[in-house]
Amino acid sequence: MDTIFALASAQGKAGVAVIRISGPDAFVVGAKICSSLPAGGKGLRNLKTQAGELLDQALVLTFSNPGSFTGEDVVELQTHGSVAVISALMAELETYSELRVAEPGEFTRRALENGQLDLTQVEALADLIESETEAQRKQAQAVLAGGLSTLAEAWRSKLIRAASLIEVTIDFADEEVPVDVTPEVITLLASVHEGLEKEVAGVQIAERIRDGFEVAIIGAPNVGKSTLLNALAGREAAITSEFAGTTRDVIEVRMDLAGLPVTLLDTAGLRETDDHVEGIGIQRARQRAEAADMRVFIAESDDDLDIEKRDGDIRFSPKADINPDAKDAISGKTGQGVEQLVQHVSSVLVEKSSHAGLASRQRHRLSLQAALQSLHSAQDVVQRGPEFYDIAAEDMRSAIRHLEMLVGRIGVENLLDEIFSSFCLGK
């Protein structure tokens, strides 16, 4: 396997830059550019060109395989983070025939191939790098620490035990088996079934934590929806005017509420109109409102917006700046009711997020649902009696395969290029 290198820290000027070298010749090249590698795995060294010119002084760290991120010999050079130093050092490393520049995600891909991470942990690492809120960080860290892998392995072990008991019965079909294994098999399958159902139920919320919740602000034209959005965003995100129908498309503003990623949607005012473009905006407003996780209605109690209120939705009377004494009134101009709105949205979404599972991607959901479907079939067949145990055993093996696909043991080669393409060169 080639020895690779890349800048592992962010591009541009910084206090410190980290350049990572990984592979069988990492120590050989490291010893050349540093004159000698530090004993004990860390130390200061002068980095020099092959012609003897000083490049920089760096903190040099070494990690012997398999005790590194990639599972290979790794050298990390922590240099001063100027653009000039980074460029000079990268250019020097390119002169070594033993090295080549890493491809996007190649360090992490080697960690997967060398058994340092499984596929769910790789995906969690990508999510951690992309995380913007505390909830996203916590969710990614839980999976990166092996939370989903541990669950999958526990389910797999129980299914293997159940399948082995069934197969023993099949092998001795013509003899009297001293113990009836059916009760233990049923118990094992029920335990896995309960765990899978719970995790599948939490996938949608986990996906929302990863991708962001959507909160739609809806109401008739000119009730102050865009002004409210601007107040919540703290900037002029939407155009406001005294003319009805100003907003004709859905305007999105990303926010962090109570540590959760939330996208606020300012939608076109809901009304009957002969204006073709405004009509398209109203249709989109209704579609996004129906798909949103919760809706904020800016409307009087007797206004009919033809959108059914759901649990968690909230209604405010419009334009508290004109009618400050109106019940539950809100105004983006004066700020009245805005704090109440933020607190309500936060509390609803925090409560929703408490039901999140560890699985947070469509791939996870599909694998878990497929495993659950095979498990359902196995449970039904086991109840039909020993003469159908061979079918039950195959259903169990099918469920096991889907769990193995979840963690990347089998059948995911076609996904790897897509997954690692989202990583930077240094990861």
Side-chain angles (χ1 to χ4, degrees), residues 21 25-37 47 60 75 77:
I21 307 170
D25 291 322
F27 288 176
V28 173
V29 174
K32 290 179 180 178
I33 200 167
C34 301
S35 299
S36 66
L37 292 176
L47 308 182
V60 179
V75 175
L77 309 174

Side-chain angles (χ1 to χ4, degrees), residues 146-177:
L148 186 55
S149 311
T150 301
L151 281 178
E153 183 56 36
W155 296 329
R156 178 177 173 273
S157 296
K158 289 180 179 180
L159 288 174
I160 289 174
R161 169 67 177 169
S164 66
L165 290 172
I166 287 291
E167 286 165 352
V168 166
T169 303
I170 296 171
D171 291 341
F172 293 92
D174 297 330
E175 303 175 24
E176 184 177 346
V177 179

Side-chain angles (χ1 to χ4, degrees), residues 68-148:
S68 70
F69 173 71
T70 61
E72 304 171 331
D73 289 340
V74 170
V75 175
E76 287 193 356
L77 309 174
Q78 299 188 9
T79 70
H80 295 95
S82 81
V83 175
V85 168
I86 296 169
S87 297
L89 184 51
M90 294 292 285
E92 177 62 21
L93 290 174
E94 288 181 6
T95 67
Y96 284 86
S97 61
E98 299 96 331
L99 302 181
R100 66 167 173 82
V101 176
E103 298 175 356
E106 191 168 3
F107 291 105
T108 307
R109 187 162 189 158
R110 291 189 177 196
L112 173 68
E113 292 169 347
N114 292 326
Q116 303 296 95
L117 299 173
D118 67 30
L119 192 57
T120 63
Q121 291 174 302
V122 167
E123 292 166 325
L125 180 57
D127 291 341
L128 182 62
I129 293 171
E130 295 295 326
S131 64
E132 298 175 340
T133 69
E134 182 65 3
Q136 289 174 324
R137 181 193 68 80
K138 287 182 176 179
Q139 179 174 269
Q141 286 282 17
V143 181
L144 181 58
L148 186 55

Side-chain angles (χ1 to χ4, degrees), residues 24 27 42 45 47 59 68 97 107 112 117 147 149 160 266 282 285 342 354 369 391 409 416 420:
F27 288 176
K42 59 183 177 181
R45 289 291 187 274
L47 308 182
L59 173 62
S68 70
S97 61
F107 291 105
L112 173 68
L117 299 173
S149 311
I160 289 174
D266 177 24
I282 293 172
V342 170
S354 66
Q369 287 175 336
I391 301 174
R409 288 188 179 182
L416 297 184
F420 289 113

Side-chain angles (χ1 to χ4, degrees), residues 173-194:
D174 297 330
E175 303 175 24
E176 184 177 346
V177 179
V179 178
D180 182 7
V181 301
T182 306
E184 183 178 355
V185 169
I186 291 174
T187 299
L188 289 168
L189 297 183
S191 175
V192 177
H193 182 275
E194 181 183 1

Side-chain angles (χ1 to χ4, degrees), residues 193 197 369 371-381 395:
H193 182 275
E197 277 201 327
Q369 287 175 336
L372 190 58
Q373 184 176 357
S374 295
L375 184 58
H376 275 305
S377 180
Q379 289 176 299
D380 291 342
V381 173
D395 287 331

Side-chain angles (χ1 to χ4, degrees), residues 359-377:
S360 61
R361 291 173 176 253
Q362 182 186 34
R363 187 187 72 80
H364 302 166
R365 175 169 51 81
L366 294 176
S367 291
L368 291 171
Q369 287 175 336
L372 190 58
Q373 184 176 357
S374 295
L375 184 58
H376 275 305
S377 180

